[in-house]
Amino acid sequence: MAIGSYKLKVDACHKGSSKERKLRSITVNYLYRYGTLIVFANYLIEMKDPARVVSFPEWLRTHREITKLLERESLD
């Protein structure tokens, strides 16, 4: 898994180095994209009911806990 290998690389770098910051940014970006795909899949499952069709941004606004998780920039 790319995320796991990048996390190991980040942990092996000197804290605060430019390499560590770059790898951390890449890893957080991977996590964000992966998380967003999982969330979007859940949205599509919920939208199977034709009586409950809303746009993805509207649906996401009603699920603030998901938005908060996706906004995290930590690898912890």
Side-chain angles (χ1 to χ4, degrees), residues 4 12 16-17 27 29 31 36 39 43 48 51-52 56 63 68 75:
S17 69
T27 308
N29 186 27
L31 281 171
T36 302
V39 170
Y43 159 77
K48 281 186 175 181
R52 192 172 176 246
F56 182 61
H63 294 81
K68 292 293 179 190
L75 298 178

Side-chain angles (χ1 to χ4, degrees), residues 25-50:
S25 175
I26 290 168
T27 308
V28 168
N29 186 27
Y30 275 137
L31 281 171
Y32 178 81
R33 291 184 345 212
Y34 183 66
T36 302
L37 283 173
I38 292 169
V39 170
F40 188 67
N42 190 52
Y43 159 77
L44 291 175
I45 290 168
E46 286 189 22
M47 291 304 112
K48 281 186 175 181
D49 179 8

Side-chain angles (χ1 to χ4, degrees), residues 48-59:
K48 281 186 175 181
D49 179 8
R52 192 172 176 246
V53 176
V54 296
S55 71
F56 182 61
E58 289 172 13
W59 179 86

Side-chain angles (χ1 to χ4, degrees), residues 2-14 19-20 23-24 27:
I3 296 169
S5 71
Y6 271 105
K7 170 74 166 95
L8 292 174
K9 289 177 184 179
V10 168
D11 290 343
C13 289
H14 286 57
K19 183 176 181 179
E20 188 256 355
L23 287 173
R24 181 173 300 279
T27 308

